[in-house]
Amino acid sequence: MRTHYRSLVAAWAAGALAVAGCTGEAQAPARAPVPIATPRPSSTAPPSSEQARADFARVRQVIDGDTITVSGVGTVRLIGVDAPEKTGGYRASEPFGDRAAAYMRELVGGKLVRLEYDGDRLDQYKRTLAYVFLEDGTCANEAIIRAGWAEVYRRFQYVRKPQFQAAEADARRARRGMWAF
């Protein structure tokens, strides 16, 4: 958001100087505003902390084990995650739904996250489909599966499906989360 704001201020300042007749030396044309989600340069240098933070947004609410809301994005459905439904939704509660929601709330609630996309950007309910990454690099999608509070969503193809299936197999073997009962 800061990057976008700064580029708007720079564009405004360049326009104001041109209108005021302050030409100085050769003027560069005014730059267009930079989109909020700018791709990272392909250099080997790590991104600046300001650039890295610009790629993150805050989780506003955890709806259930596989759905959250993110500032500036809206409702996000975690790709590849099939968590049990919790109490109080439009469907009947499923066993472990409240525990799955509590796990996700502890994992990402109020934290900064980065979204990655794979295939369709929206589902049939107009939710953004994404992999959700915490600042430390943890993939929340995989973490809830590995903790045993969700299963792999098997219906669709997506890039991380094999690693999610391995995480579920690990959770089942170790009898974590809902697999302990």
Side-chain angles (χ1 to χ4, degrees):
M1 190 69 153
R2 277 188 208 143
T3 304
H4 182 66
Y5 175 74
R6 286 186 180 150
S7 60
L8 287 174
V9 170
W12 176 82
L17 288 174
V19 169
C22 300
T23 57
E25 296 195 19
Q27 284 185 304
R31 293 184 351 203
V34 177
I36 292 174
T38 56
R40 283 205 173 109
S42 59
S43 73
T44 56
S48 69
S49 61
E50 184 177 318
Q51 175 61 43
R53 279 190 113 27
D55 293 342
F56 285 83
R58 190 157 312 277
V59 173
R60 296 178 52 92
Q61 178 185 12
V62 173
I63 296 171
D64 59 24
D66 53 28
T67 311
I68 61 176
T69 60
V70 176
S71 293
V73 177
T75 305
V76 175
R77 173 69 165 77
L78 279 67
I79 295 173
V81 178
D82 187 13
E85 297 301 321
K86 68 179 186 69
T87 303
Y90 58 92
R91 293 172 35 179
S93 174
E94 296 175 343
F96 310 111
D98 290 330
R99 290 186 186 183
Y103 177 85
M104 188 57 68
R105 202 171 294 112
E106 185 177 321
L107 182 65
V108 301
K111 296 180 182 171
L112 293 174
V113 296
R114 179 178 55 82
L115 304 179
E116 279 187 17
Y117 308 99
D118 180 0
D120 292 337
R121 288 291 276 274
L122 299 175
D123 69 3
Q124 63 184 356
Y125 304 107
K126 306 292 185 221
R127 298 176 296 189
T128 299
L129 298 169
Y131 300 112
V132 176
F133 290 90
L134 294 162
E135 288 182 289
D136 68 1
T138 299
C139 177
N141 310 49
E142 183 177 352
I144 192 167
I145 294 169
R146 188 168 300 282
W149 295 117
E151 295 181 81
V152 173
Y153 199 86
R154 290 172 171 75
R155 185 171 169 198
F156 300 106
Q157 289 301 315
Y158 44 94
V159 172
R160 296 178 186 270
K161 191 174 192 177
Q163 85 188 56
F164 290 1
Q165 288 173 322
E168 182 181 320
D170 180 55
R172 285 176 183 253
R173 255 190 318 276
R175 301 184 58 79
R176 284 193 293 270
M178 63 185 167
W179 309 119
F181 298 90

